[in-house]
Amino acid sequence: MLINGPRWTRCCRAMLNSVQSVSRGTVGVRRTLLHPGSPATAGTSYRGKKDDTRLFTPIPIRPSPDDINVGAELTGALDKAEMLKVILKFSNRKEIKFLCLENGIDSNLQQQAFVSFRKYCLDTDALPADLHVVLSDILQGAGHVDDIFPYFLRHVKQIFPHLECMDDLKKISDLRQPANWYPSARGMNRKVIFHSGPTNSGKTYHAMERFLAAKSGVYCGPLKLLASEVYNKSNQRGTACDLVTGEERKFANPEGKPSAHVACTVEMTSINTPYEVAVIDEIQLLKDVGRGWAWTRAFLGLMAEEIHVCGEPGTADLLQKLCETTHESLEVRNYKRLTPLHIEEQALQTLDNVLPGDCIVCFSKNDIYAVSREIEARGKEVAVIYGGLPPGTKLAQAAKFNDPNNSCKVLVATDAIGMGLNLSIRRVIFYSMIKPTMNQKGEKEMDTISVSAALQIAGRAGRYGMKWEEGYVTTFKAEDLPTLKGILGQTPDPLTQAGLHPTADMIELYAYHLPNATLSNLMEIFVSLSTVDDSLYFMCNTEDFKFLAETIQHVPLPLRARYIFCCAPINRNMPFVCSMFLKYARRYSRNEPVTFDWLCNQCGWPFQLPRTIIDLVHLEAVFDVLDLYLWLSYRFPDLFPDEKLVRDIQRELDDIIQQGVFQITKLLKNSETAVSTNTPDEDSFVMRQKKSKYYREAGAGAGGTRGRLTERLLAQGLLTPAMLQELKQEWDQQAKRTGKGGGGADDEDDPFDGGKKGPGRRKGSRKMK
C-alpha cells in the first residue's frame, strides 16, 4: 500500500539525486548572462535581429518505453486532467515569464517551450521522479505552482541546447577583427600598393610587369578567363606560371612540378604560400554581396612581400582603413584613361543605324536573342557573348568580332564583357539602363545600372592597343540618353565595407555545440549571432549556400564534405544543374564513384548540335554540370575519378555550343516551329558502342573522328542535323532498293553518325569522301 502525504513526499525528496536543489530562491543566483540585455553583453552591438531565437528549433524529447515510473511508485499516479490545469496556470504566470527572460528564454522560445513541456508531461507515462513528486505535491496542495520552474528550465535546455552555450556561439561568430585570422601575413612586413584608375588606364599592366619580374608571384583574378590569360601571357614571356581555378590545374612544367608563379581565381588563392609579389585584380569587388569575402581574404591573408591591388579609385579609402587594421601603409598610384571616351548626342533608336565596331549591351537573354535576330535580318553578321556561355565559346565569339578579315563587325553582349575579354569595340550602345541586381538578402531587384557598372561597360569602347583609337558610348532609346549622361558624369560611390563569410572551421565549431541543427540552420544562426564591425565589413549573402544545404539535407554526409558541396559555384536557377548536384551528393554518400559512363547516361552524351534555343540552353546547363564534376574532382578525387575524360567531352561540348551560337538566328527561327531534341535518339546499345569507341580512342591517344567531311559541314553550318537525317533516310531507302540491308557489329563507320560505329550501319554503302 502506497503511503501518500506531504511528510512522505518530503522524505522522498531528500533521497532523490536531482535538480530539485535548484529552488525558487536559487534561480536568481543561477540566472544566465546570455540574454542581450544582461550586464555581460551590455554595450555590444549585434548585427542580428531582435528575434534571432526564431532560428532555433526545439529538439523533440522522446521518453524511453523501458523507463520505470519511480515517481508513481513513490507518490501514486497523477491525474492528467488536473495536471494539465496546473501546467496551464504555470505557463500563464507573469513571474514565470519574467524568470524565462532572465534565463535567455525570450518570447519566441517561450511559446515553443511551454507547448513542448506540456506535451511532454501529458504524453510521458514515466516522468522523471523528481518532477513527478513536485507535480504530486502541487496537486495535493503541498507545493506552489512556481516549484515547476527548475524542471521546466531543465526541459527547455534539453530542447534548446544553445541556451547552455550561447556565449561560446557568440565568441565563434565574433568577426570584428578578421585581420587577426591570418597570423602568418601579420608576421610579415608587407608593402601594399594600390593601382587606381578607370577602365583602360593601364593599371593592371603596371602591376603585372612587377609580377613577371619577381622571383615568385601570384595573380588573383575574378574570372577563369583572366587567370587563363595571365597564365598564357606569362609563359609566352618566359616566366613559368601555373594555372589554378576551381575546375582546372595546369603546370608550366611538363612533369607537373609547381612553378614559382601562379595565376588563379581569387577564391583559390593560397594564404599559406609565401610569394615575393601578389596581384589582386578588380579589388572593388570587395563590395560584391556574393563573392566579396574572397577579395577580403586575399587582401588580408596573402603572404607576399608586395601586394599590388588594381581597381577603381573609390576603393582607396576602404583599403586605407583595412591597412590600419593590419598596421601596414598604403601607397596609391593613380592612372588616367589612355584613350578618350565620348558620349554621343544622339541615341541609336533603330538597329538600321548599327555600324561596324558597335557593341549592343543587353541585360537579359531575351534581349540578346531579339537584337541578334533583328540585326542578322538586316544582312549583318553578329557575335554573341553572355555569361552562360562556356569560356571557349566566349573566346571564339570575341575572336570572330576582333578579326579584321571576318565579315562579323557587330557584337551583342551582356555586361559579361565588363572584364575578362579584350574586344575591339568602337561604340558601346546600352539597349536598356535597367539591370537586375542581387541585394544582400539574396533578392533580385530591377534598378538603374550603377555608376561603377556603367563606367566599367562603357570603358570597353576605344581600348588602347586595339583597332579604334577613340571610344564612343550611347543608348538605344532616346529617353535613356540623359540617364546615361548623368551616370557617366558621376564618380562611383566610395566603398565603405568589405565582405566576410564564415569558414568551415567556424561552422564545425557551431555543429559541435548544436549537433542536431541542419547545416542551413547552422549558417542562419551563425549569421544571426555574428558580430561584425559595420564600419568596415558586412556579411556576404549566404542564400545560395543555404539553398544547396537544404537541397542535400536528407543525404547522409559528413559535415566537412557537406560544407564543401554547398560551396560549389552553381546557378541555383538552373533545375538540371541542381538535380545533378543532388545526384552527385547521393552517390558520394553511398561511396559510389561518379564515373564517366554514369555521367554520360545522365547528360545524354554523345551530344547533338542544338536545333532550337531550348536545346542550346540545355547544353549550357550540361556544360555547367561537367564544370561541377571537375570542381568536385579536385576536392574528392577518389569518387570523381574521370577528370580527364570529362574534360575531353567538355571541350567537345564547348565546340558544339560554339556551332549553336554561330547559328543563333537559325535556332531562334526553329524555336518557333520545332520541338526540342536535346535527348539522344539512339538506343542504349548504340550509346554503349560509342562510349566504348571513345574509351579506346582516348586510351590510344587518338584524336577522335574530327575532321571528317560530315562534321566539318556541320561545323560550318553548311549541313544541319535535319538535312543529315534526311540524307540518311534517302541512303537507307537506296540501300533497301539495291537489296543491301542488314547491318551488324562488324560494320564500318557510319558516315551519317559522325564516323562512329553502330548497328545502324548499312552493309555495302560507301564512305563519304
Side-chain angles (χ1 to χ4, degrees), residues 307-367:
I307 307 287
H308 292 257
V309 291
C310 311
E312 296 177 355
T315 319
D317 290 343
L318 176 59
L319 293 179
Q320 181 63 56
K321 291 178 181 177
L322 293 179
C323 284
E324 290 173 4
T325 69
T326 61
H327 306 290
E328 295 166 338
S329 60
L330 178 69
E331 177 186 340
V332 180
R333 299 178 184 175
N334 294 302
Y335 300 84
K336 294 182 179 180
R337 184 177 169 87
L338 299 174
T339 57
L341 179 65
H342 308 286
I343 304 175
E344 295 190 338
E345 294 300 323
Q346 299 293 327
L348 191 70
Q349 295 188 316
T350 172
L351 295 176
D352 292 329
N353 296 330
V354 169
L355 299 173
D358 279 353
C359 172
I360 302 177
V361 177
C362 308
F363 296 119
S364 76
K365 272 191 178 181
N366 287 336
D367 286 345

Side-chain angles (χ1 to χ4, degrees), residues 541-561:
N541 178 267
T542 59
E543 293 306 310
D544 286 347
F545 183 97
K546 289 189 290 185
F547 172 83
L548 296 180
E550 290 164 3
T551 300
I552 60 173
Q553 180 51 46
H554 61 287
V555 180
L557 291 169
L559 180 67
R560 177 69 68 152

